[in-house]
């Protein structure tokens, strides 16, 4: 990684923390990998819950008496709350211990999943998913900065946390699809509540108390927004995420249009491609500009293949490429904004999260309209075009840290 990357802080080693945790928990190991894995567990639980609808969409739509496009709005509602939460949560909680905040957000996600499991209508589901959106956005906004404070190793934390996302897609989407067919989509959300509780216990046990960054809040956000390169980059991140989420909530519908018997296997393959994408994003981030470009470029090719193929063999290849290309994006863009704004990482990451959540909301809504009126291939085609635009955008921006 270039000298502008926050990974340069890794030479300092893990941050030291008083072993007598003031939060009241037992003493915790502060090994970098242990900390990163604890944060990854929380991320996996949250993202798994976020995208369960993509795996159980047909059953959810039938049970709630809505179209599949409208059921896809459960992803959009989550993103709407995330878009509002990410840039404001640090201002609302400028001094609160970040470990306490992360545990509280996991508790909010547990409540959301329980309400969804019992919801009598789409309206109640959407309200519950707003709670989940706030939990996800807050957790993502703090996870990298917390990990860096404790370990001093940005690339390790970003890659490991992103691996939690891929694990969630491997478990949350194909397994949710299979379980939804066996035990019903509501029971899947109950299972996710239990898994989130386990993730919270892991985080409570392994993460030390983490004080808020000095100056966290509105002042830090205003200063970050003064970085024009950061703002332009965040806009490109939003374009890349929009491209993916125009298509992703409807991945099962798109696969079924080609080969309904291959749904579970191909969703699993997508997740495995995602793991490779996370690892590739972390490794290639030493060439930050081109790593950020590669993810959307691969995604564009994959979505074009999804839109045009009618052969299962080709579908296997493009699904792997889709998982690989998109899952490079969270890793590389986290490190990208941290490199461009190294003095205000918490605010930079919150802007990245906001870009993702706005894009998820808009993309899933636009994709839902296309799926309902023109079929899943139209959503895939639009995603391919927009992703190509994002690749051009990243290739056009030089990665340099702001010096003041």
């Amino acid at each position: 990684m270039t000298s502008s990357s926050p990974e340069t802080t890794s030479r300092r080693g893990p941050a030291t923390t008083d072993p007598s945790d003031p939060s009241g928990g037992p003493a915790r190991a502060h090994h970098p990998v242990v900390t990163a894995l604890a944060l990854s567990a929380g991320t996996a639980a949250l993202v798994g819950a976020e995208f369960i609808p993509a795996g159980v969409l047909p059953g959810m739509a039938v049970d709630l008496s809505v179209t599949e496009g409208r059921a896809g709005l459960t992803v959009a509602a989550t993103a709407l709350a995330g878009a509002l939460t990410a840039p404001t949560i640090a201002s609302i909680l400028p001094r609160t211990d970040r470990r306490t905040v992360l545990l509280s957000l996991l508790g909010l996600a547990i409540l959301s999943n329980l309400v969804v499991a019992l919801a009598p209508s789409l309206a109640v589901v959407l309200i519950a998913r707003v709670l989940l959106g706030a939990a996800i956005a807050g957790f993502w906004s703090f996870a990298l900065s917390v990990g860096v404070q404790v370990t001093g190793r940005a690339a390790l934390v970003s890659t490991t946390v992103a691996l939690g996302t891929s694990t969630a897609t491997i478990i949350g989407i194909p397994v949710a699809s299979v379980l939804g067919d066996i035990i019903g989509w509501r029971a899947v959300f109950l299972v996710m509540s239990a898994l989130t509780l386990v993730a919270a216990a892991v985080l409570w046990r392994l993460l030390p108390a983490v004080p808020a960054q000095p100056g966290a809040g509105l002042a830090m956000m205003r200063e970050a927004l003064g970085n024009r390169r950061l703002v332009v980059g965040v806009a490109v991140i939003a374009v890349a995420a929009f491209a993916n989420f125009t298509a992703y909530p409807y991945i099962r519908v798109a696969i079924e249009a080609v080969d309904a018997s291959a749904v579970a296997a191909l969703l699993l393959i997508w997740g495995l491609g995602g793991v490779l994408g996370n690892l590739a994003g972390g490794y290639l981030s030493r060439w930050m500009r081109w790593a950020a470009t590669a993810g959307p470029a691969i995604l564009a090719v994959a979505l074009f293949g999804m839109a045009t193929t009618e052969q299962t063999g080709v579908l296997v290849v493009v699904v792997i490429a889709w998982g690989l290309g998109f899952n490079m994006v969270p890793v590389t863009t986290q490190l990208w904004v941290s490199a461009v704004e190294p003095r205000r990482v918490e605010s930079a990451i919150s802007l990245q999260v906001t870009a993702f959540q706005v894009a998820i909301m808009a993309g899933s809504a636009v994709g839902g309209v296309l799926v309902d009126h023109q079929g899943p291939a139209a959503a895939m085609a639009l995603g391919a075009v927009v992703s190509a635009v994002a690749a051009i955008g990243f290739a056009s921006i030089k990665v340099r840290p702001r010096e003041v």
Side-chain angles (χ1 to χ4, degrees), residues 79 83 237-243 245-246 353-365:
I237 291 168
V239 172
F242 176 89
F245 290 103
T246 298
V353 174
T354 300
F356 261 83
Q357 298 302 327
V358 169
I360 292 171
M361 176 180 60
S364 60

Side-chain angles (χ1 to χ4, degrees), residues 200-218:
V202 169
L203 196 70
W204 173 82
R205 179 64 184 86
L206 297 179
L207 188 69
V210 182
Q213 289 186 344
L218 286 174

Side-chain angles (χ1 to χ4, degrees), residues 283-309:
Y283 176 77
L284 295 175
S285 61
R286 64 191 69 189
W287 303 286
M288 183 70 72
R289 183 179 180 182
W290 303 113
T293 301
I298 295 170
L299 177 62
V301 174
L303 291 178
F304 177 78
M306 290 290 296
T308 56
T309 188

